[in-house]
């Protein structure tokens, strides 16, 4: 008889800011691979936004996510999501 498989994490969970950095790293790798395979950046962005919003709605519900996205326009206009080419 085989023993049950344990899915316990091999180490303690990372702090929130480290999890976000790790997640961004994974996403950057996935984007690079998709772009290498010929997937258009706009398609990637739209699919990523859909997946992200679906995850947030599943976690927090529609109303809180709707309130969150209402504030995105101002954040975009303030340059929060702009990439400074000189820093790359």
């Amino acid at each position: 008889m085989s023993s049950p498989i344990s899915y316990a994490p091999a180490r303690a969970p990372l702090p929130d800011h480290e999890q976000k950095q790790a997640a961004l790293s994974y996403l950057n790798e996935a984007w690079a691979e998709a772009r290498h395979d010929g997937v258009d950046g706009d398609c990637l962005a739209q699919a990523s936004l859909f997946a992200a919003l679906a995850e947030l709605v599943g976690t927090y519900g529609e109303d809180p996510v709707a309130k969150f996205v209402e504030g995105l326009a101002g954040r975009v206009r303030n340059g929060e999501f702009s990439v400074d080419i000189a820093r790359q």
Side-chain angles (χ1 to χ4, degrees):
M1 183 182 240
S2 63
S3 60
I5 298 173
S6 173
Y7 291 104
R11 57 187 166 152
L14 296 172
D16 192 53
H17 70 282
E18 289 183 31
Q19 286 189 45
K20 289 178 183 178
Q21 284 297 114
L24 187 56
S25 179
Y26 282 118
L27 289 172
N28 284 333
E29 289 176 26
W31 270 60
E33 186 175 335
R35 292 301 300 263
H36 177 66
D37 289 345
V39 179
D40 179 69
D42 184 68
C43 290
L44 279 168
Q46 290 186 39
S48 296
L49 286 171
F50 175 84
L53 290 170
E55 178 67 25
L56 289 172
V57 167
T59 301
Y60 300 107
E62 292 171 347
D63 288 333
V65 175
K67 283 185 180 186
F68 170 74
V69 298
E70 285 173 0
L72 287 178
R75 293 172 65 188
V76 170
R77 286 186 188 96
N78 287 333
E80 191 170 326
F81 302 100
S82 297
V83 177
D84 184 8
I85 306 274
R87 283 192 268 167
Q88 291 183 357

